[in-house]
Amino acid sequence: MSDYPDSVAFLGQWGRFQQVVFFLLCASIVPNGFGAFNLVFLTDAPGHRCSVPDVGLTEDWRAAIIPVQVVNGNQQLSRCSRFRLDVVRNLSAQGLVPGRDVNLTDLEQEGCVDGWSYSRDVYQSTIVSEFDLVCSEQWKLTFISTVFFVGVLLGSFFSGQLSDRFGRKPVLFLTMGVQMVFTFIQVFSTSWIMFTVLLFINGLGQISNFVAALVLGTEILTGHVRVLYSSMGACLSFTLGYMMLPGCAYLLRDWTSLLLALSLPCLAYLPLWWFIPESPRWLLSQGRVEEAESIVRKAAKWNKVQAPLVIFQDYTVNNKTDLKENPNAFDLLRTSKHSDISDYDTFCLHADPYMSCFISAAVEVPAYISGWLVLRYFPRRRSICCSLLLQAVSLFLIQLVPQTLPYLSIALEMLAKYFVTITFSMMFAYIAELYPTLLRNTAVGVCSTVGRLGNCIAPFLITLNTYVLHLPYIIIGTLGCVAALAALYIPESFGQPLPETIQQMHKRERWALYTEF
């Protein structure tokens, strides 16, 4: 099994079998782009102000009952208060005119005790308008986002171990099913708590689906096709779903219709069970050589090539020790010296929400193509270190931009996103190359879990700009520099075969720092 690529070399790298696996796995990743960012539209707050019941107010008083506030130098109607209704009703009944007979600044104010009226210029409804998550209840939006990312974090951790124990294919389809079913059930949420609980379960299958598909494709495909899939293929499929999301949200302006549109089409993925095979590498790591050979012989028929009489001959010798050890997630800490680098999800564009989301997704396309080219021709460690440092520099420069040049700030944000997306695409491929088959899915899942910690704190991190405007950029840029330093201590995998055993992982030569730079 030590020479798995040589054992299946007779298949070629890009036959019909590899093409089917490549594109079907890419298709299975597309819904992740929907699910990972649908909160952008589900939790967006429409314009709102206090609702005023029909109590016989004059037109003047109905127009004046909402106080005017100055926000960021601009006057706008208050979103969370109104003048006391009983007082205004008495003044209206007396025939007094606001602003002429009554000084409005002297009137007492009250909260929106009768609820809110929401603008429908952008959305017909979101969960914000559905459950009144505004004003004093606005904190729940940050909580909802954090709960989702906690679900993603836990799903990334446990799904990796399940995949290494029970197989890549079952976990792939299980996590796809979790996303589809619980996204659909969310439509029937009767409270924000019910919505949040279902969102948490949905999050368990989110990135877990992506990781399972990534590892499955990485282990089935070989050579340059493997690098193409693990960097550009899988990531661009994710981005395709991300880019489709704002179009769906634009056409379907209410949150229930959007969730239905994101869940029901996933039924089309169920037949893929009969076309996507289990990983032969994983089957061999479990000693299931006959099943592995059956898949490879089927691939030979699809590719119209002749398979040898015996495909895998020495797998028992190479895998004997690892089968006895039965490694798990703790082996990543006990036996490996590899460092983890978390990825950072960052920025918002301050424009139309649909166009903003699309631009944010579209900038990932050239980034993933760049990431593939870098992986194809350059060492991993040096490339990741450079991309992280360039991301940090872009963020540090934002604080030097004058307020009169807002588009330059946005350009630097997009440049930072470009570099961090390159890092994101390279890290998944890199991690899969570092760890052996018995631990590969667990390793990718654990490293993804570390990355999700950034997602969990991101909603709170963004709020720091109320204290220091550029503090979020400074913190993220600093973390990028720390991650770049950590990358220097990761072993190099460029041009080396995937390790099948823990022993092979330890035999990798770690390049010294002075040989890299």
Side-chain angles (χ1 to χ4, degrees), residues 131-169:
F131 304 121
D132 288 333
L133 305 181
V134 293
C135 300
S136 62
E137 304 295 304
Q138 190 173 359
W139 65 270
K140 295 177 181 177
L141 296 177
T142 302
F143 178 77
I144 289 172
S145 299
T146 301
V147 167
F148 172 69
F149 289 124
V150 169
V152 173
L153 183 151
L154 295 177
S156 298
F157 181 78
F158 290 109
S159 68
Q161 299 179 67
L162 291 174
S163 182
D164 281 335
R165 182 169 183 178
F166 299 106
R168 287 43 168 141
K169 182 178 175 179

Side-chain angles (χ1 to χ4, degrees), residues 183-196:
T183 299
F184 177 77
I185 298 177
Q186 279 182 286
V187 172
F188 305 99
S189 298
T190 56
S191 68
W192 76 273
I193 295 178
M194 178 179 176
F195 180 89
T196 304

Side-chain angles (χ1 to χ4, degrees), residues 152-468:
V152 173
L153 183 151
L154 295 177
S156 298
F157 181 78
F158 290 109
S159 68
Q161 299 179 67
L162 291 174
S163 182
D164 281 335
R165 182 169 183 178
F166 299 106
R168 287 43 168 141
K169 182 178 175 179
V171 172
L172 170 65
F173 282 88
L174 174 64
T175 51
M176 288 172 62
V178 167
Q179 289 184 77
M180 177 184 68
V181 171
F182 286 94
T183 299
F184 177 77
I185 298 177
Q186 279 182 286
V187 172
F188 305 99
S189 298
T190 56
S191 68
W192 76 273
I193 295 178
M194 178 179 176
F195 180 89
T196 304
V197 171
L198 294 173
L199 184 67
F200 170 79
I201 302 175
N202 190 343
L204 294 175
Q206 235 312 308
I207 295 299
S208 305
N209 172 205
F210 177 89
V211 170
L214 175 77
V215 172
L216 180 56
T218 298
E219 293 182 345
I220 293 178
L221 302 171
T222 58
H224 299 320
V225 176
R226 171 177 61 81
V227 176
L228 175 66
Y229 170 78
S230 60
S231 57
M232 191 167 67
C235 294
L236 279 182
S237 300
F238 182 92
T239 300
L240 177 61
Y242 186 7
M243 294 174 68
M244 293 169 62
L245 174 64
C248 293
Y250 180 81
L251 296 174
L252 305 169
R253 300 296 184 100
D254 66 284
W255 67 279
T256 55
S257 297
L258 181 59
L259 287 176
L260 287 174
L262 300 183
S263 60
L264 294 180
C266 292
L267 291 171
Y269 290 100
L270 297 181
L272 299 187
W273 175 270
W274 289 274
F275 296 94
I276 296 177
E278 181 56 271
S279 166
R281 288 182 187 264
W282 179 82
L283 291 171
L284 289 171
S285 74
Q286 304 298 307
R288 295 159 62 177
V289 62
E290 293 183 359
E291 295 177 61
E293 287 206 357
S294 175
I295 292 174
V296 175
R297 293 188 186 282
K298 180 180 177 181
K301 291 181 179 179
W302 283 24
N303 289 359
K304 298 181 180 180
V305 297
Q306 182 65 41
L309 186 62
V310 178
I311 300 176
F312 305 109
Q313 297 182 10
D314 59 348
Y315 79 97
T316 54
V317 175
N318 293 315
N319 208 36
K320 183 178 179 181
T321 303
D322 284 342
L323 283 174
K324 287 184 178 180
E325 290 177 356
N326 190 24
N328 53 48
F330 295 102
D331 287 283
L332 297 178
L333 302 177
R334 183 170 63 250
T335 66
S336 176
K337 297 180 181 179
H338 300 168
S339 301
D340 297 335
I341 297 178
S342 59
D343 56 281
Y344 307 100
D345 242 344
T346 47
F347 320 100
C348 304
L349 294 176
H350 306 288
D352 174 83
Y354 305 107
M355 185 58 66
S356 173
C357 183
F358 180 80
I359 294 174
S360 183
V363 75
E364 295 187 358
V365 174
Y368 287 135
I369 296 174
S370 300
W372 167 64
L373 292 173
V374 171
L375 286 173
R376 181 74 172 80
Y377 298 107
F378 298 99
R380 279 57 167 140
R381 186 165 65 177
R382 177 188 301 171
S383 303
I384 289 173
C385 181
C386 290
S387 63
L388 284 168
L389 289 176
L390 289 171
Q391 171 233 337
V393 170
S394 301
L395 292 176
F396 289 146
L397 289 176
I398 291 177
Q399 59 187 316
L400 303 179
V401 177
Q403 294 184 356
T404 55
L405 299 173
Y407 291 107
L408 181 56
S409 295
I410 293 176
L412 288 171
E413 286 182 356
M414 289 295 96
L415 185 62
K417 179 178 175 63
Y418 170 80
F419 286 119
V420 81
T421 302
I422 291 178
T423 306
F424 177 85
S425 67
M426 291 192 293
M427 279 307 302
F428 273 114
Y430 191 16
I431 294 166
E433 292 175 349
L434 290 174
Y435 290 93
T437 300
L438 282 169
L439 282 172
R440 185 168 292 118
N441 215 134
T442 297
V444 177
V446 169
C447 292
S448 178
T449 299
V450 176
R452 296 316 111 197
L453 292 174
N455 292 125
C456 291
I457 66 173
F460 301 98
L461 181 63
I462 297 300
T463 62
L464 295 179
N465 63 3
T466 59
Y467 305 101
V468 178

